[in-house]
Amino acid sequence: MELNQIKYFMEVAKNEHVTKSAEKLHIAQPALTQAIHKLEDELEVSLFKHEGRNIRLTVYGDFFYKKLQPVMESLERLPEQLRQMAKTEDTTIHLNVLAASSLITNAVIEYKKTNRKIHIQLNQNEKTDFYDICVTTRLFYQQDENEKDSTFVCSEKIFLAVPNIPKFSSMQSISLEEVKNENFIALSGSRQLRTICDKYCHEAGIVPNIIFESDSPAAVKNIIGANLGIGFWPQYSWGRLDSKKVRLLEISKPECSRDILIYYKKNKMDCTHVEKFFQFLSSYVSDKEKLNARKNY
């Protein structure tokens, strides 16, 4: 069956008059009659019967018409639905956050205050390529050969979170070698930050004794606060510590940091909203980086 055949059948079934239907369809009456006969031959049933000078639907034709009616109505609505879908997609930004989640969430909140019509869908999936903007990480010495002008990079310092006990209370910085015998609270092995921290431990010549693993900043903070171990704490990803039980120490050797990359892909016909949010996000992160550089974290 061809779509035109279905369209012709529906018009004739609605009018039960071939001449009138041909006029509405702007085709010759013989061509319309031939199309209906061809459809009947293909279906191997009669769709119409003659009653004097008029035609009526057969029981097969009536069944066929009723089944096709919602389908054709759906097809007629489809172009407008596609236009609305495209319009909605143009105002939807798919954001994949693999690093600096705390900072990026705050940026989204700020952006939405003045851009309420923009929908931002957040995702955290290292394996997906479905995004408009991605926030990810790399070690400071790594370079991305495919890096483009649409990529923004800032540096994120990685601190060592320790329990606020006399042993650490007078310290402002510490080397990883000094904590080689401490118990570590760590992120899950599949996380990018965990991989980076493992590399720094290897560089310092230590093998951390990991007694607890979690991807929850709150869980890590609570375990460290209970004096059960120490752990790495990324500056932007987890934010500042608001706890009297835990302190953040700068790691003096090796200097621990990572680059945060923010880049977007030109997936849409109109990338205006994505580009504007990318520029806002870049400026927001850059401002926070400069502010933190002036503070004694």
Side-chain angles (χ1 to χ4, degrees), residues 158-181:
I158 299 173
F159 291 87
L160 196 65
V162 300
N164 192 13
I165 58 176
K167 181 178 180 179
F168 299 111
S169 60
S170 62
M171 293 183 175
Q172 296 300 320
S173 64
I174 195 168
S175 70
L176 289 183
E177 188 178 6
E178 291 179 76
V179 294
K180 62 182 179 181
N181 296 321

Side-chain angles (χ1 to χ4, degrees), residues 95-205:
L95 177 61
N96 194 23
V97 182
L98 304 177
S101 54
S102 178
L103 183 64
I104 300 304
T105 300
N106 290 335
V108 170
I109 293 171
E110 287 299 314
Y111 192 77
K112 286 287 291 180
K113 288 179 180 178
T114 55
N115 297 270
R116 297 187 180 278
K117 293 183 179 179
I118 301 299
H119 305 283
I120 300 177
Q121 294 187 355
L122 273 75
N123 191 22
Q124 290 182 305
N125 188 343
E126 294 183 13
K127 297 181 180 180
T128 185
D129 286 326
F130 180 69
Y131 56 80
D132 299 310
I133 295 177
C134 183
V135 183
T136 186
T137 186
R138 71 177 182 200
L139 286 169
F140 66 90
Y141 53 79
Q142 292 177 324
Q143 295 296 325
D144 186 353
E145 295 179 357
N146 299 318
E147 190 171 314
K148 299 179 180 179
D149 293 338
S150 58
T151 302
F152 170 79
V153 182
C154 78
S155 181
E156 177 183 46
K157 188 174 290 187
I158 299 173
F159 291 87
L160 196 65
V162 300
N164 192 13
I165 58 176
K167 181 178 180 179
F168 299 111
S169 60
S170 62
M171 293 183 175
Q172 296 300 320
S173 64
I174 195 168
S175 70
L176 289 183
E177 188 178 6
E178 291 179 76
V179 294
K180 62 182 179 181
N181 296 321
E182 299 288 338
N183 293 325
F184 274 77
I185 316 301
L187 288 175
S188 301
S190 61
R191 290 300 191 93
Q192 293 177 340
L193 179 62
R194 169 67 180 276
T195 302
I196 290 172
C197 293
D198 284 349
K199 287 183 179 180
Y200 279 125
C201 288
H202 179 74
E203 184 180 337

Side-chain angles (χ1 to χ4, degrees), residues 207-223:
V207 178
N209 179 34
I210 298 171
I211 62 166
F212 181 81
E213 293 185 78
S214 174
D215 59 0
S216 167
V220 170
K221 183 178 69 174
N222 290 336
I223 296 294

